[in-house]
């Protein structure tokens, strides 16, 4: 029988945490700080609305672009929170998670040979989606000296005549970095001058601490060249509901909707109805969750300082990205030893790109009690390493 | 700052104040002083522990009693409420809207003891017109805490 598989697909490297996942499942009493989703359940009023719509028998398809009320609420929400003006009828598409939105944006805009600038360390989907869409990923390695923000100098240094698209994933997974207005203005200037399309993955937009999130599409001359991607997974603790959205210029959204129609039909109806409730009445819950994350964030930063683990202060998402360079181990070695010897699981920074070497991603989507137990194990391991030197 | 301190203390009165200060992004001295002031102002009235007595061998019966009273001239409901709450077995007394005036929560060792209290001490009070006693059969949630909470983390242990 012939080999049916496409080489391009097979060549995509598997997830960098497969090995750890396997070790974790064999061990007992492992504390994992390696999750990428909220520890909160979806707020009850949203779950209740979801249950109610199932009881009422709303189990049919919605329109391809998504429920009209949801698209309207999305536009109101984006205006209310980020001063963005989108037309619900032609500039919004409801997708199966932010993940699908990223994939669609790349599929409709990348010709073979087009290059996509991807700042790393970053979430693992951008490179594979780019490759699958026929584009060429071009990595920009961000620096801890810049708090893992993208500078306009770095951007300019990597642009060539094939560059078509820039992915802007902020607030960032895994670094917890954010881009403030002044940072975005620098990027926007380059994007306008070099006629770049920006795909802005803002899934963590509600989780910024000490400063509000700024959407690059709200800057002058950017709305016409930006696809703003967001969703409900992190803000409303709705990861399993699989719901997100893309907003952008009508001609691009039209094509994204077309592909979405053929490949998916529509996002889950039940999730859409629940999300309407979330947008209308969920602001208070989102704020409470954000405050809880903020408290844990401060606690972790303080604990790392005491342990002598260098870490810049992350102002977004729910991850901390400390450096373990001083111990002379690679991220992978550190993480594996930490797991085997202390039964504490964290994600090595290299799972998110080569520029993650020397760092660990530690999530604080856990209760304070769990974080304290985990920190005890980490502290013990660090003392052990220092004694070994 | 006060509201945040109160929210944390209400959920966990034993929280380490040094940790609370870190979580709130302030220093321990500020937190300690605020708490002391709130205690003085009787905003913080006590630190109690939430116990599921059903899991112990102690005998406890709790009743919710709705009481209808004739308010005292010049004193409203306050003096009759005081007569009732002075009893140590009375855990709570609330003035409520609706068909009844006061809601009394009472604890005793047995059903008989509680009903005895109602008939001998409560119903016999001068201003009490009528009572309706409800025995608590099962507590699902009390003071914001669900008793039978699932504690297992069902998320996949590692996700990117």
């Amino acid at each position: 029988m012939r080999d049916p598989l496409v080489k391009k697909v097979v060549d995509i490297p598997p997830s960098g945490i497969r090995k750890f996942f396997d070790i974790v499942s064999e061990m007992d009493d492992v504390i994992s700080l390696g999750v990428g989703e909220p520890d909160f359940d979806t707020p009850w009023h949203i779950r209740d609305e979801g249950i109610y719509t199932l009881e009422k028998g709303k189990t049919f398809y919605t329109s391809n672009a998504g429920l009209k009320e949801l698209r309207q609420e999305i536009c109101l929400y984006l205006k209310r929170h980020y001063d963005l003006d989108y037309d619900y009828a032609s500039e919004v598409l409801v997708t199966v998670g932010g993940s699908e939105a990223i994939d669609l944006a790349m599929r409709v805009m990348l010709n073979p040979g087009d290059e996509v600038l991807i700042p790393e360390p970053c979430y693992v989907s951008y490179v594979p989606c780019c490759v699958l869409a026929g584009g060429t990923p071009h990595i920009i390695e961000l620096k801890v000296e810049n708090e893992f923000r993208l500078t306009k100098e770095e951007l300019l240094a990597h642009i060539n005549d094939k560059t078509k698209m820039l992915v802007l994933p902020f607030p960032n997974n895994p670094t917890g970095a954010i881009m403030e207005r002044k940072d975005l203005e620098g990027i926007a200037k380059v994007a306008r001058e070099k006629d770049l399309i920006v795909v802005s993955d803002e899934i963590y937009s509600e989780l910024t601490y000490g400063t509000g999130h700024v959407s690059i599409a709200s800057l002058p001359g950017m709305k016409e060249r930006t696809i703003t991607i967001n969703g409900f997974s992190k803000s409303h603790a709705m990861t399993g509901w699989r719901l997100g959205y893309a907003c952008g210029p009508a001609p691009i959204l039209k094509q994204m909707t077309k592909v979405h129609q053929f490949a998916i039909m529509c996002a889950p109806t039940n999730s859409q109805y629940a999300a309407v409730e979330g947008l209308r009445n969920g602001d208070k819950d989102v704020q409470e969750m954000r405050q809880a994350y903020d408290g844990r964030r401060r606690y972790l930063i303080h604990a790392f300082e005491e342990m002598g683990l260098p870490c810049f202060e992350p102002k977004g998402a729910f991850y901390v990205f400390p450096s373990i360079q001083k111990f002379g181990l690679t991220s992978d070695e550190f993480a594996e030893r930490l797991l085997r010897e202390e039964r504490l699981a964290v994600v090595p920074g290299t799972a998110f790109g080569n520029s993650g070497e020397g760092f660990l991603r530690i999530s604080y989507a856990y209760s304070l009690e769990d974080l304290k137990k985990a920190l005890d194990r980490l502290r013990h391991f660090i003392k052990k390493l220092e004694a070994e030197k | 700052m006060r509201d945040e301190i109160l929210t944390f203390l209400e959920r966990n009165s034993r929280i380490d104040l040094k940790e609370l200060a870190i979580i709130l992004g302030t220093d321990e001295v500020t937190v300690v002083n605020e708490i002391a002031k709130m205690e003085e102002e009787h905003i913080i009235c006590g630190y109690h522990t939430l116990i599921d007595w059903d899991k112990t061998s102690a005998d406890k019966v709790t009743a919710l009693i709705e009481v209808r009273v004739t308010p005292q001239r010049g004193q409203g409901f306050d003096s009759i409420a005081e007569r009732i709450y002075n009893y140590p077995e009375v855990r709570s007394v609330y003035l409520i809207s609706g068909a009844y005036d006061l809601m009394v929560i009472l604890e005793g060792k047995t059903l008989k003891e509680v009903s005895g209290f109602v008939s001998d001490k409560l119903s016999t009070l001068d201003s009490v017109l009528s009572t309706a006693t409800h025995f608590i059969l099962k507590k699902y949630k009390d003071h914001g805490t669900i008793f039978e909470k699932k504690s297992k983390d069902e998320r996949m242990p590692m996700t990117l």
Side-chain angles (χ1 to χ4, degrees):
Chain A
M1 189 190 122
R2 61 175 156 181
D3 177 6
L5 298 172
V6 172
K7 185 174 186 311
K8 172 171 90 169
V9 172
V10 173
D11 286 348
I12 294 174
S15 161
I17 54 166
R18 182 78 257 161
K19 165 173 79 168
F20 290 91
F21 208 102
D22 292 340
I23 303 174
V24 167
S25 31
E26 296 163 18
M27 293 174 96
D28 279 327
D29 185 33
V30 172
I31 297 182
S32 170
L33 292 185
V35 299
E37 56 181 324
D39 55 312
F40 300 104
D41 292 333
T42 307
W44 177 248
H45 66 104
I46 299 174
R47 275 184 278 162
D48 195 37
E49 183 66 19
I51 294 166
Y52 176 73
T53 52
L54 284 176
E55 281 175 355
K56 286 267 155 284
K58 294 188 196 285
T59 53
F60 36 71
Y61 291 125
T62 67
S63 77
N64 302 125
L67 269 183
K68 183 170 127 186
E69 305 103 283
L70 179 56
R71 281 179 281 130
Q72 286 170 331
E73 286 297 334
I74 288 169
C75 291
L76 289 170
Y77 170 88
L78 291 175
K79 178 72 191 167
R80 188 165 79 232
H81 286 241
Y82 311 120
D83 200 29
L84 292 169
D85 287 293
Y86 284 111
D87 170 28
Y88 81 88
S90 62
E91 296 180 328
V92 182
L93 171 64
V94 177
T95 55
V96 179
S99 302
E100 192 212 345
I102 295 163
D103 189 37
L104 287 176
M106 293 196 176
R107 280 160 83 177
V108 307
M109 289 194 278
L110 297 178
N111 286 308
D114 282 345
E115 284 195 11
V116 180
L117 290 168
I118 298 174
E120 279 186 355
C122 69
Y123 184 56
V124 300
S125 292
Y126 311 124
V127 169
C129 283
C130 169
V131 166
L132 289 169
T136 307
H138 183 130
I139 307 299
I140 304 179
E141 294 197 347
L142 300 181
K143 299 189 169 29
V144 65
E145 297 80 65
N146 297 325
E147 293 192 336
F148 291 107
R149 299 182 191 203
L150 175 64
T151 64
K152 68 173 193 286
E153 291 75 25
E154 285 169 325
L155 178 56
L156 278 167
H158 287 265
I159 292 180
N160 58 43
D161 53 12
K162 296 204 189 69
T163 310
K164 173 107 174 252
M165 187 186 275
L166 166 66
V167 173
L168 262 191
F170 292 96
N172 187 273
N173 169 15
T175 63
I178 61 166
M179 292 279 279
E180 290 179 271
R181 182 173 294 274
K182 57 176 170 39
D183 307 306
L184 291 173
E185 278 167 354
I187 304 301
K189 186 162 185 288
V190 177
R192 286 189 300 260
E193 281 169 10
K194 303 288 182 183
D195 195 20
L196 298 179
I197 299 287
V198 174
V199 171
S200 185
D201 183 356
E202 301 181 15
I203 197 80
Y204 291 96
S205 64
E206 283 294 346
L207 302 182
T208 58
Y209 312 106
T211 180
H213 171 80
V214 177
S215 252
I216 197 169
S218 66
L219 269 49
M222 289 310 293
K223 193 176 159 212
E224 52 262 40
R225 58 179 67 256
T226 305
I227 305 295
T228 303
I229 291 173
N230 211 323
F232 307 90
S233 297
K234 321 291 182 186
S235 53
H236 295 75
M238 289 176 78
T239 41
W241 297 74
R242 307 315 299 123
L243 202 70
Y245 51 90
C247 300
I252 304 176
L253 266 287
K254 183 165 175 207
Q255 298 306 319
M256 287 172 68
T257 307
K258 184 166 77 188
V259 176
H260 171 82
Q261 174 196 358
F262 289 132
I264 304 270
M265 277 293 275
C266 70
T269 302
N270 185 46
S271 305
Q272 292 188 58
Y273 279 107
V276 171
E277 168 63 24
L279 288 176
R280 281 192 185 141
N281 302 312
D283 280 0
K284 183 165 158 286
D285 296 292
V286 171
Q287 194 191 27
E288 280 175 8
M289 289 191 265
R290 178 174 50 241
Q291 280 170 344
Y293 290 129
D294 199 7
R296 300 160 183 182
R297 182 187 69 102
R298 292 191 184 116
Y299 187 78
L300 263 191
I301 301 286
H302 187 261
F304 286 167
E305 250 172 69
E306 282 188 333
M307 270 186 244
L309 205 53
C311 184
F312 77 96
E313 189 197 340
K315 300 220 174 81
F318 39 61
Y319 309 107
V320 189
F321 209 59
S323 163
I324 46 103
Q325 279 151 1
K326 70 184 208 184
F327 299 107
L329 298 170
T330 65
S331 295
D332 213 70
E333 285 165 358
F334 190 106
E336 190 171 345
R337 275 191 66 182
L338 183 63
L339 179 56
R340 289 194 190 282
E341 294 172 35
E342 301 289 335
R343 288 163 313 161
L344 172 60
V346 299
V347 186
T350 38
F352 305 95
N354 292 334
S355 47
E357 180 53 75
F359 296 90
L360 300 173
R361 186 193 80 176
I362 293 182
S363 166
Y364 48 89
Y366 296 90
S367 67
L368 270 167
E369 293 73 48
D370 288 336
L371 282 177
K372 278 191 216 168
K373 281 190 225 150
L375 287 169
D376 282 339
R377 295 186 186 186
L378 182 59
R379 207 172 278 123
H380 187 250
F381 185 67
I382 286 175
K383 287 215 175 84
K384 205 195 302 186
L385 285 183
E386 281 170 348
E388 278 172 19
K389 272 208 267 177
Chain B
M1 182 61 61
R2 277 196 168 190
D3 285 346
E4 287 157 304
I5 295 176
L6 289 174
T7 307
F8 271 96
L9 282 182
E10 196 178 28
R11 269 184 268 133
N12 178 11
S13 54
R14 292 179 66 190
I15 192 168
D16 185 293
L17 296 183
K18 183 159 171 285
E19 275 173 17
L20 181 56
I22 295 168
I23 290 162
L24 295 178
T26 181
D27 59 283
E28 195 180 351
V29 173
T30 308
V31 173
V32 169
N33 287 344
E34 274 311 302
I35 292 175
K37 272 192 240 156
M38 288 194 282
E39 284 171 1
E40 260 171 67
E41 292 168 31
H42 284 290
I43 294 171
I44 295 177
C45 306
Y47 296 94
H48 298 285
T49 304
L50 183 62
I51 298 170
D52 185 355
W53 287 101
D54 285 348
K55 296 209 171 85
T56 70
S57 52
D59 288 320
K60 251 185 218 288
V61 169
T62 313
L64 251 66
I65 304 155
E66 293 166 300
V67 185
R68 237 168 24 102
V69 304
T70 39
Q72 304 284 68
R73 194 194 171 119
Q75 286 155 356
F77 295 96
D78 292 358
S79 66
I80 180 69
E82 190 177 344
R83 293 212 65 180
I84 296 173
Y85 68 58
N86 278 332
Y87 287 103
E89 47 270 84
V90 170
R91 308 291 290 160
S92 311
V93 176
Y94 306 129
L95 179 65
I96 57 176
S97 64
Y100 285 84
D101 306 305
L102 295 174
M103 170 75 78
V104 175
I105 299 181
L106 194 56
E107 237 172 49
K109 290 205 182 62
T110 62
L111 218 82
K112 212 168 163 197
E113 198 180 280
V114 171
S115 358
F117 180 91
V118 177
S119 51
D120 299 338
K121 305 230 176 66
L122 195 55
S123 304
T124 51
L125 288 173
D126 272 345
S127 334
V128 172
L129 295 172
S130 63
T131 63
T133 304
H134 310 276
F135 284 97
I136 291 183
L137 301 176
K138 183 172 175 178
K139 286 187 184 175
Y140 291 99
K141 188 176 187 184
D142 204 359
H143 290 88
T145 300
I146 300 171
F147 278 5
E148 293 299 329
K149 199 175 171 82
K150 64 165 168 58
S151 54
K152 188 166 169 270
D153 189 340
E154 289 172 349
R155 294 175 291 175
M156 297 207 293
M158 287 181 109
T159 41
L160 293 169

